[in-house]
Amino acid sequence: MEPVRSGCFCAFILFLAVRLRAADCAKVIVGDPFKIPISCEPGRLLRDLGDDGTREIATGQSGQWKVSREEDRDRIKIDSSNIVFTHTLYTDGGIYELTCSTSGTKETIQLEVVVASEKSVTQGDKVTLPCYFKTIRGTGLPGWWERNGNETPADRLTVSTDWITTGDLSLTIDGAQPEDSGDYFCYTQDGKRSGNPAAVRLTVTEKKSHQIISSTAAPGNIFTWVLAAILLVLIVALLYLWCCKLRNDRVKL
C-alpha cells in the first residue's frame, strides 16, 4: 500500500511498517517496525542531531548496505531494499537524510515517534478513545480521526460537537466490531498538532458463542429462579396449613 504524502504535510502513516519517500513526515507508534527504502547505492543514511551535527546510521557501498554503529545492529536491520528499525524507540524521532553518492540526490524523512494509549473491549461494547487538544477561547483548527491511514467513517462513530470549546475530541464507537481494531490518530487540519494521547491502539475481541448463549440465556435463568422461589413459598404455605389442620383435628378428638 502506498504511503500518504502531501509535500511537507505530516501524513499520519499507521502501517506496522511505514514506507517513505522524499520530504515525508511520518508518525509511528513506539515499539512498531519502521522501514526506510534504500533507493540507491552507494549512499549514506544520516540522522540530523541539530547543534551536535549528524550521526551515521547506515552506509551502502560495493553492493552492500550495513548498519554503522555496533550498538544499533540488534534492532536496525538491512534487507534487500530497506533499512528496517525492527523496534522503534521513542528517541528515534528526528530528521533523517538518505544521500545517494552517484546522483547526489537526497531524501529527507522527518520521523515522529509517539506513545499510544491502549484500549481493549469485547465485540458489541461501546468504547471511547481519548483525545484532547489545548484550545484558546473556543478557537482552533478543525480536527478529525484516522484509522490505519484512512479517515474514519461516520457510521457508529461520534465526537462532541463542541470539542473546540472543551478541547475534548474523544471518539466514541457504539457497538465495536473486530474490524474496528487498529491504530487511531487524532489531529488538526494542518497536521502539525497531535492530540493527547497522540494515538490509541484499539483491540476488539470477538464475542465467543458461549458468551452469546450465556448473555441471551440470562433473562431466562432469572425467570426460572423467580418461579422456583414462588413454588417454594407455596409449598411451605401448604405444609403450614396442613400442619394446622392436623393440629385442629387432634384437638377435636
Side-chain angles (χ1 to χ4, degrees), residues 93-112:
I95 298 175
Y96 294 80
E97 186 176 85
L98 181 64
T99 303
C100 298
S101 302
T102 303
S103 62
T105 59
K106 295 181 179 180
E107 297 182 11
T108 302
I109 303 109
Q110 183 173 345
L111 173 65
E112 182 179 356

Side-chain angles (χ1 to χ4, degrees), residues 7 94 99-100 102 108 119-120 154 174 184 209 249-250:
T99 303
C100 298
T102 303
T108 302
K119 289 275 188 178
S120 297
D174 189 15
Y184 289 76
S209 57
D249 290 344
R250 288 177 182 175

Side-chain angles (χ1 to χ4, degrees), residues 131-145 158-171 186-190 193-196:
C131 177
Y132 298 91
F133 283 95
K134 183 179 290 185
T135 56
I136 301 174
R137 297 178 183 176
T139 61
L141 292 167
W144 67 86
W145 285 81
T158 57
V159 296
S160 174
T161 55
D162 62 345
W163 80 269
I164 291 181
T165 301
T166 64
D168 185 355
L169 189 62
S170 298
L171 177 71
C186 66
Y187 54 94
T188 56
Q189 186 177 29
D190 63 356
R193 294 177 56 203
S194 297
N196 184 20

Side-chain angles (χ1 to χ4, degrees), residues 9-208:
F9 179 81
C10 188
F12 296 110
I13 303 174
L14 308 179
F15 314 130
L16 289 181
V18 182
R19 296 181 177 274
L20 302 170
R21 294 294 185 270
D24 275 347
C25 177
K27 286 180 183 276
V28 62
I29 293 175
V30 63
D32 279 358
F34 173 75
K35 291 184 179 182
I36 299 177
I38 302 171
S39 57
C40 62
E41 190 278 320
R44 300 172 72 199
L45 177 66
L46 302 177
R47 180 179 177 183
D48 187 352
L49 300 178
D51 294 338
D52 294 329
T54 60
R55 175 186 296 164
E56 187 176 80
I57 303 299
T59 59
Q61 55 185 352
S62 302
Q64 184 177 7
W65 279 80
K66 66 178 182 178
V67 178
S68 301
R69 301 198 311 162
E70 180 70 30
E71 56 265 39
D72 290 335
R73 290 173 185 168
D74 286 341
R75 66 182 191 88
I76 300 179
K77 305 295 182 181
I78 308 292
D79 62 24
S80 59
S81 58
N82 299 283
I83 299 172
V84 184
F85 291 68
T86 60
H87 183 87
T88 307
L89 302 179
Y90 190 75
T91 52
D92 286 331
I95 298 175
Y96 294 80
E97 186 176 85
L98 181 64
T99 303
C100 298
S101 302
T102 303
S103 62
T105 59
K106 295 181 179 180
E107 297 182 11
T108 302
I109 303 109
Q110 183 173 345
L111 173 65
E112 182 179 356
V113 182
V114 299
V115 178
S117 170
E118 296 195 6
K119 289 275 188 178
S120 297
V121 296
T122 303
Q123 180 182 4
D125 290 348
K126 178 184 286 189
V127 60
T128 297
L129 311 183
C131 177
Y132 298 91
F133 283 95
K134 183 179 290 185
T135 56
I136 301 174
R137 297 178 183 176
T139 61
L141 292 167
W144 67 86
W145 285 81
E146 282 192 357
R147 178 177 68 88
N148 298 341
N150 300 307
E151 191 168 350
T152 54
D155 183 37
R156 297 182 294 107
L157 309 181
T158 57
V159 296
S160 174
T161 55
D162 62 345
W163 80 269
I164 291 181
T165 301
T166 64
D168 185 355
L169 189 62
S170 298
L171 177 71
T172 298
I173 303 176
D174 189 15
Q177 299 300 315
E179 57 267 25
D180 293 324
S181 298
D183 295 332
Y184 289 76
F185 280 51
C186 66
Y187 54 94
T188 56
Q189 186 177 29
D190 63 356
K192 295 179 181 178
R193 294 177 56 203
S194 297
N196 184 20
V200 181
R201 175 161 288 170
L202 174 64
T203 302
V204 182
T205 304
E206 186 175 359
K207 185 174 287 188
K208 304 300 182 182

